[in-house]
Amino acid sequence: YAGWTSDFKDLTELAVKGPVSWLAILGGWIQTKDNADASQIDLVIKMVQLFGILLVVAVVGIGAFTKSRADGLQELRTSTSTTLSTLDGGSGTFVRRAAALFGDGVETSKAAKREVRLFEAPTVIRYEADQVLAPHYDANRSAETEDANRGGQTLATLLVYLNDVDNGGITRFGRLPAVAGVDGDINDPKLTIKPKKGDALLFFPADAKGLFDERTEHEGCAAIDEKWIARIWRHADRVPPPFGLSDGELDKV
C-alpha cells in the first residue's frame, strides 16, 4: 500500500479539523447547557475530554481502514515472481545492459557499479492465463518514509518482455493517450504495449527530483497466452539487501 502514511496523516488531519472538533464542541454544549452551575471552564473541560475520546475513535477507525485497504491491494497482482539475487548468466547481462542504459552508455566497471547500486535486484514475473496486475503506480508519494529501506523513490522502471504474447497480456497506461507507431491495442484510446520478445519498456514513475507522476499509472492486462517479463526498478539511493544486490554481487559488475 504505497502512500499509506500520507493517507493516514491526511485522513487524521481531516477528522481533527472536521467531525472530531465539531462533535466535541456540540457534545460539550449538550452536556452543560442545562446545568445552571456550569461555567465556561466546565464547558471547555467537557469539550477537551470529548475531543480526546473522539480522536482515539477516529485514529482507530482510520487505522482499520488503511489496513483493510492494504489487505485488498494484495490482490492487485495474481502473477508469480522470483527475485534474481545473483548476477550469473542472463541476470548479469540484463543488469549490465541496464546500467549502461542509465549511465549514458558508459560501460566501465566503476560507472556500471555506481548505477547498479541504485537497482533493486532484477525480478522475473510470470503471467498465466487470466492473471493480471491491476492499475497501480511504481512510485510512492511517501517514498522518503515507506521506502527508506529500499533506496527511496522509484525513479525508473525497466521492463523486458521475454516471450512473444499473441493474445492478451498487454501493458496499459490508462492516463496516457495512444501513440502512433506503438504496437498495442488499436481499439484502445489509451497507450498500450503488446509484449514482444526482446523489446524493452522504460518509463519514469517520478521525475529526477523524486516528484510522483500520476500519469504513469499502468496495469498488466489479463493474460490469455503465457507471458514472461524481467523488471528492474531504479531508485534514488543505494538499495541495500535484501531488496538490492549484495556488495559481493556488485563486485561482479
Side-chain angles (χ1 to χ4, degrees), residues 127-132 165 167-169 220-227:
Y127 292 84
E128 298 181 87
D130 297 325
Q131 291 185 333
V132 300
V165 181
N167 301 294
C221 296
I224 298 175
D225 296 338
E226 188 176 52
K227 169 186 168 184

Side-chain angles (χ1 to χ4, degrees), residues 76-87:
L76 279 175
R77 181 189 294 277
T78 58
S79 59
T80 54
S81 63
T82 187
T83 299
L84 307 178
S85 58
T86 61
L87 297 185

Side-chain angles (χ1 to χ4, degrees), residues 10-196:
D10 292 344
L11 289 170
T12 301
E13 183 177 346
L14 182 64
V16 167
K17 292 180 177 179
V20 170
S21 295
W22 286 109
L23 288 172
I25 293 171
L26 179 61
W29 177 76
I30 290 174
Q31 289 184 15
T32 59
K33 68 182 180 70
D34 295 326
N35 185 353
D37 296 327
S39 65
Q40 289 186 339
I41 294 178
D42 294 326
L43 174 61
V44 171
I45 291 174
K46 290 293 184 182
M47 288 179 179
V48 171
Q49 290 174 338
L50 286 171
F51 181 88
I53 294 171
L54 291 169
L55 179 58
V56 170
V57 172
V59 168
V60 171
I62 293 169
F65 167 76
T66 53
K67 185 180 186 305
S68 66
R69 187 176 182 190
D71 292 342
L73 290 175
Q74 295 296 324
E75 301 176 1
L76 279 175
R77 181 189 294 277
T78 58
S79 59
T80 54
S81 63
T82 187
T83 299
L84 307 178
S85 58
T86 61
L87 297 185
D88 301 322
S91 62
T93 301
F94 180 32
V95 166
R96 293 183 188 95
R97 294 287 296 275
L101 174 66
F102 289 117
D104 296 325
V106 178
E107 297 190 15
T108 64
S109 177
K110 184 177 180 179
K113 186 175 180 178
R114 186 168 56 246
E115 282 296 326
V116 176
R117 291 177 70 255
L118 307 177
F119 293 174
E120 283 198 32
T123 301
V124 174
I125 305 168
R126 178 192 186 191
Y127 292 84
E128 298 181 87
D130 297 325
Q131 291 185 333
V132 300
L133 178 54
H136 67 285
Y137 301 100
D138 287 350
N140 186 347
R141 287 188 175 90
S142 303
E144 290 184 0
T145 301
E146 296 175 19
D147 294 333
N149 64 337
R150 58 194 306 161
Q153 185 65 281
T154 304
L155 300 182
T157 296
L158 176 63
L159 302 179
V160 174
Y161 298 106
L162 302 180
N163 67 315
D164 292 322
V165 181
D166 294 327
N167 301 294
I170 281 177
T171 303
R172 183 177 189 270
F173 290 80
R175 295 175 181 260
L176 294 174
V179 176
V182 175
D183 188 9
D185 184 351
I186 60 174
N187 297 314
D188 195 324
K190 301 300 182 180
L191 176 60
T192 57
I193 298 93
K194 182 178 180 180
K196 184 178 179 181

Side-chain angles (χ1 to χ4, degrees), residues 227-243:
K227 169 186 168 184
W228 290 81
I229 63 173
R231 182 196 68 210
I232 285 177
W233 276 329
R234 183 182 185 272
H235 288 266
D237 300 305
R238 161 74 161 126
V239 183
F243 304 108

